[in-house]
């Protein structure tokens, strides 16, 4: 059974229809352009012209993460950029990047990046950057955190199973 | 000359010529193979090649993998430098170019994101 366990975790390559992939990319692009908005699977599926169940499965297969977790990484990137580049308060940044509460934002940000929004702002402002010559959309894509596991799973592992899962992922 | 993989050369040609203002530089066919490059009037020294994955250049498995990579937007960035990004955005958007990012002003320059029909951007 050990092999069965391994194959569950390794990402095997399966061929996908390029025409479908192009439409999945469109939904991903729409999330990139408006990551502060709500993107339930039904809305994304409409952009791609497929059923919700088909969308969720195909998106993960194509891009390696479920759509709601992908959106989360874009929101974290946006928040980190606003912390770095603007004087907006952390509360304003939380709402501007799509979170419904400051508490959820702060906790999720810390869980994903390992640092609080305030600490990130201080560190990012101290670091010199030379990003003027990189087009914005590529910069955003590059600064997205690599979130290979669910936030709830990350919390669980860090808590070593001492706490129950208080909530599921923020979508 | 730098080449792009596209899903359909006729479609790509129409996009780069009719929507983005390129013009044909070379269009040569030999059986199934078509060498197609375009150039922009503002930069005639540069050619952009529009190629489809497939025989005889690629085996079937490689061609399929390339088509998938292009369609999921995983090819390297394609950047067009223009004098006035906002004006260019308005102009080509009106012609139906798919934008992934509206013009954004950063550090004194403006950029916007677009994709071609195949997924290059």
């Amino acid at each position: 059974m050990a092999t069965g366990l391994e194959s569950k975790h390794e990402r095997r390559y399966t061929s996908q229809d390029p025409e479908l992939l192009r439409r999945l990319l469109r939904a991903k692009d729409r999330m990139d352009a408006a990551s502060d908005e709500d993107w339930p699977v039904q809305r994304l599926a409409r952009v791609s012209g497929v059923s919700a169940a088909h969308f969720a499965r195909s998106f993960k297969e194509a891009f390696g993460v479920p759509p709601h977790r992908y959106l989360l990484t874009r929101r974290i990137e946006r928040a980190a950029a606003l912390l770095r580049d603007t004087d907006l308060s952390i509360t304003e940044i939380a709402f501007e990047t799509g979170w419904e509460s400051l508490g959820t934002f702060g906790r999720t940000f810390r869980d994903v990046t390992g640092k609080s929004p305030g600490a990130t702002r201080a560190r990012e402002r101290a670091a010199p950057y030379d990003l003027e010559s990189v087009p914005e959309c590529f910069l955003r894509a590059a600064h997205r955190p690599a979130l290979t596991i669910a936030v709830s799973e990350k919390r669980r592992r860090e808590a070593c199973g001492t706490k129950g899962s208080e909530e599921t992922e923020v979508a | 000359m730098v080449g792009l993989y596209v899903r359909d050369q006729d479609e790509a040609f129409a996009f780069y010529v009719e929507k983005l203002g390129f013009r044909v530089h070379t269009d040569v066919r030999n059986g199934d193979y078509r060498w197609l490059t375009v150039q922009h009037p503002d930069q005639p020294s540069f050619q952009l090649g529009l190629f489809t994955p497939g025989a005889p250049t690629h085996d079937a498995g490689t061609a399929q993998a390339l088509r998938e990579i292009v369609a999921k937007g995983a090819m390297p960035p394609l950047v067009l430098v223009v004098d006035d990004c906002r004006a260019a955005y308005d102009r080509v958007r009106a012609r139906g170019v798919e934008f992934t990012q509206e013009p954004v002003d950063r550090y004194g320059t403006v950029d916007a994101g677009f994709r071609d029909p195949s997924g290059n951007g």
Side-chain angles (χ1 to χ4, degrees):
Chain A
M1 293 316 285
T3 51
L5 201 64
E6 276 165 18
S7 67
K8 194 183 164 202
H9 291 289
E10 102 192 11
R11 196 168 161 235
R12 276 175 304 178
Y13 176 77
T14 47
S15 187
Q16 287 181 280
D17 174 16
E19 210 268 326
L20 169 66
L21 289 170
R22 182 64 184 86
R23 287 185 283 125
L24 296 174
L25 176 62
R26 191 161 291 129
K28 181 167 164 283
D29 284 340
R30 294 280 298 277
M31 281 195 276
D32 293 350
S35 62
D36 58 309
E37 293 180 13
D38 286 331
W39 289 101
V41 170
Q42 287 81 359
R43 185 181 178 197
L44 293 165
R46 264 200 306 280
V47 173
S48 293
V50 294
S51 75
H54 190 202
F55 178 87
R57 196 173 53 246
S58 307
F59 186 97
K60 182 168 190 301
E61 205 172 305
F63 301 112
V65 285
H68 59 281
R69 198 188 306 157
Y70 178 78
L71 178 64
L72 176 61
T73 67
R74 296 302 295 217
R75 285 183 177 182
I76 295 288
E77 182 282 326
R78 279 293 74 212
L82 292 174
L83 288 165
R84 185 185 66 226
D85 297 337
T86 73
D87 292 318
L88 292 173
S89 73
I90 291 173
T91 307
E92 286 170 312
I93 290 173
F95 292 113
E96 193 144 313
T97 53
W99 269 276
E100 281 170 10
S101 91
L102 182 60
T104 311
F105 167 63
R107 192 165 58 247
T108 310
F109 191 94
R110 203 169 47 244
D111 286 339
V112 173
T113 68
K115 286 204 162 53
S116 71
T120 298
R121 168 165 272 174
R123 191 197 48 188
E124 291 284 307
R125 287 193 171 172
Y129 276 98
D130 186 19
L131 303 171
E132 294 86 350
S133 49
V134 184
E136 178 75 4
C137 53
F138 301 112
L139 198 64
R140 290 185 186 191
H143 282 182
R144 199 171 68 78
L147 194 57
T148 53
I149 55 171
V151 173
S152 54
E153 172 66 9
K154 200 169 172 181
R155 280 183 193 141
R156 196 186 63 75
R157 288 187 194 176
E158 277 162 19
C160 295
T162 52
K163 278 190 211 163
S165 57
E166 53 190 86
E167 64 177 320
T168 53
E169 272 181 83
V170 180
Chain B
M1 198 278 282
V2 173
L4 291 179
Y5 285 125
V6 298
R7 63 184 180 186
D8 181 288
Q9 286 176 307
D10 288 335
E11 178 189 58
F13 181 78
F15 177 82
Y16 284 95
V17 171
E18 289 163 22
K19 292 190 160 71
L20 295 187
F22 285 73
R23 59 192 179 196
V24 67
H25 182 279
T26 307
D27 189 358
V28 180
R29 291 167 198 259
N30 182 9
D32 286 340
Y33 188 71
R34 181 179 180 192
W35 177 271
L36 174 64
T37 73
V38 294
Q39 68 178 175
H40 198 278
D42 294 345
Q43 194 186 4
S45 61
F46 178 79
Q47 292 176 59
L48 185 66
L50 306 172
F51 305 114
T52 43
T57 320
H58 307 106
D59 63 276
T62 304
Q64 172 67 16
L66 288 171
R67 279 192 282 269
E68 290 179 32
I69 289 166
V70 171
K72 59 170 108 171
M75 292 299 273
L78 167 67
V79 179
L80 306 178
V81 178
V82 295
D83 289 334
D84 183 340
C85 182
R86 288 179 200 284
Y89 170 84
D90 289 339
R91 191 169 61 246
V92 305
R93 192 162 178 264
R95 294 182 199 150
V97 172
E98 179 179 355
F99 274 86
T100 56
Q101 178 207 298
E102 290 177 6
V104 174
D105 201 334
R106 316 159 51 235
Y107 311 108
T109 63
V110 180
D111 62 61
F114 75 98
R115 285 205 192 278
D116 76 4
S118 304
N120 296 297

